[in-house]
Amino acid sequence: DYEIFKRMSETNDQSAPPVSASSAITARQILFAAASFILGAWAFVKVNSISGPAFEPIIAACTNSEFSSPEEFAAKTGYHIYEPKLGLGAFNVLVCLITQFLLELRETPPSGLLVWGGVIVVSLPIAIANCVIAGRRGVRGLARYPTIFGLLAQLLGISVIYPLIWVPSYVFSSAKLGTPVTTNRVVYASLALMPGVILTYLVFTTDTDGYIWTCSAGILGGPILALCGLIMYTDKSESLAATCDDIAKCSNTVQKAYSLTGVISFALWACLVSLAYESYGLAYNQLWRVIWVEAGPSVAFMTIDTGVLFLGALLFIGYENGVEAMKALSLTPFVGPGAACCVVLKELESEATSKLLAEEEKKKV
C-alpha cells in the first residue's frame, strides 16, 4: 500500500504544472493593491459622509412607488422630472438620482462644471487603458469586464470603484502591456470617449427644462453608456496571435489612441483652466472654497472623485513604472492630469512593445 501511495504521489507531482514566477504573488503587488484599496475605501466613507444626508430624501422620493409617472413625481416632490426609459427598468432609481445630482451641479456655476469636467478629463486615458487591457490575452479577474466596472462606477462612483476594485484587480490580473489586441477594440475605446464629452456639453449648456437636458442627464449618469461596452464581447483579441507584426501594429494603434486622447484631454483641461481664471483669477483660496470648503454635496462629491481618480491612475501607472508615475504628476500642472497620463501610458506601451519584440526575435534565433 505504501509503494502504491508513493507511486501515485510521484505521478501527481510530475503532472502538476510548475508555479511560474509571474503567477506568484509578490510584495509589490500586495503593496500597490492594498494602497489602492485603502484609497477607495476612504473615498467611499468620505463621499457617503458628505453626500449621504443630502441624497437620502432624494433616494426616498425616487424609490417611492406611489408616484405613477415622472410627471407626478416632479409635481409632488419638487424635484426635476427624469426619463425612466433610460434606466432600462433595473436602473430607474439611478437615473432619477443622477438627474437631480447633475441638476445641482448645473445650478452651481462654475464650480459644478469645473469638478465634473475634472473627472471627465482624468477618466479619458483610464477608459482607453481599461478597454485595451480587458482584451489582452491572459488577463484575469474584473479587469476583463469593463462593462461590470462601468456599471459599478455609475452606482457607487468612479472614485470608489476604480481604486477599490479595478486597480487591485489589475495588479493581480497577469496583464502584460504590449500584448496585442484587435484594431477594432482600440478604435471602439477611442470612439467610446466622445458620448461622455458631448453629453457633458449638453448638460451644462442646454435648457434644464427641456427634454434634451433630461435625456442627456439620464444617459450620462445612467447605465446606457456602460452597457455599450457589451459590443466588445464579440471581439477576438484574446485569440489574436502574438506575432511580431501583430505586436507592432497594435502598439502603433494604441499609441495613436493615447496621442489623440491626450490632445482632447489637454483641450478640455485648457477650457476648465480658462473658466476658473475668468471666475477667480489667481485667487486659489477662493476656488478651493467653492469646490470644497463651502461646496454643496454634489460639488464636494465630484471634487473627491477628481482627486481620488487621479491618485488611482497614478497608482496604476506606478505599479508598472514608478518613474513614469512621477513624470505624470510633474506634467500635470502644465498639460492637465488627463494629457499627462496619456503621455506616460503611451511611453509605457512603447517600452513594453520593444521588450516583447526583442523576446520574439530571441525565440527565432
Side-chain angles (χ1 to χ4, degrees), residues 45-306:
V45 173
K46 193 65 177 179
V47 296
N48 276 281
S49 67
I50 291 174
S51 61
F55 291 170
E56 284 176 4
I58 301 176
I59 294 174
C62 290
T63 54
N64 191 336
S65 59
E66 294 180 359
F67 301 128
S68 59
S69 67
E71 291 78 12
E72 183 183 2
F73 162 84
K76 292 186 176 180
T77 64
Y79 292 125
H80 196 285
I81 192 171
Y82 68 100
E83 178 50 80
K85 295 177 183 177
L86 300 175
L88 307 177
F91 299 94
N92 289 0
V93 174
L94 172 63
V95 171
C96 176
L97 176 62
I98 196 64
T99 300
Q100 318 313 318
F101 181 88
L102 287 170
L103 181 65
E104 182 181 334
L105 291 177
R106 170 66 187 272
E107 293 180 342
T108 52
S111 57
L113 176 56
L114 290 175
V115 292
W116 181 272
V119 170
I120 294 295
V121 167
V122 178
S123 67
L124 295 183
I126 288 175
I128 293 284
N130 288 8
C131 186
V132 171
I133 288 167
R136 285 179 158 154
R137 181 187 294 181
V139 175
R140 302 174 300 183
L142 186 61
R144 289 187 61 193
Y145 307 106
T147 300
I148 296 176
F149 165 73
L151 288 173
L152 289 174
Q154 295 291 66
L155 288 168
L156 298 176
I158 194 170
S159 69
V160 173
I161 297 302
Y162 186 73
L164 186 73
I165 297 178
W166 192 89
V167 173
S169 177
Y170 173 77
V171 167
F172 296 113
S173 69
S174 299
K176 191 174 183 181
L177 295 182
T179 304
V181 297
T182 61
T183 301
N184 288 342
R185 176 170 284 273
V186 183
V187 171
Y188 169 80
S190 303
L191 294 177
L193 304 177
M194 298 316 299
V197 176
I198 294 171
L199 289 168
T200 293
Y201 174 79
L202 293 175
V203 164
F204 285 94
T205 58
T206 59
D207 182 5
T208 57
D209 292 328
Y211 189 62
I212 291 178
W213 188 92
T214 302
C215 288
S216 298
I219 297 173
L220 185 59
I224 291 179
L225 291 183
L227 290 173
C228 286
L230 290 174
I231 193 174
M232 280 292 98
Y233 280 95
T234 62
D235 180 61
K236 304 298 182 182
S237 292
E238 288 191 3
S239 59
L240 192 65
T243 64
C244 290
D245 289 341
D246 287 331
I247 293 172
K249 180 182 177 181
C250 173
S251 176
N252 183 49
T253 307
V254 172
Q255 290 182 58
K256 286 181 179 178
Y258 280 130
S259 295
L260 175 61
T261 306
V263 172
I264 296 172
S265 298
F266 175 73
L268 294 176
W269 179 254
C271 291
L272 294 176
V273 171
S274 176
L275 176 62
Y277 182 76
E278 289 177 4
S279 303
Y280 308 107
L282 297 178
Y284 301 112
N285 58 332
Q286 187 177 355
L287 173 62
W288 183 245
R289 178 176 59 80
V290 297
I291 66 172
W292 183 250
V293 178
E294 298 178 6
S298 294
V299 172
F301 184 109
M302 296 308 298
T303 299
I304 295 174
D305 252 20
T306 303

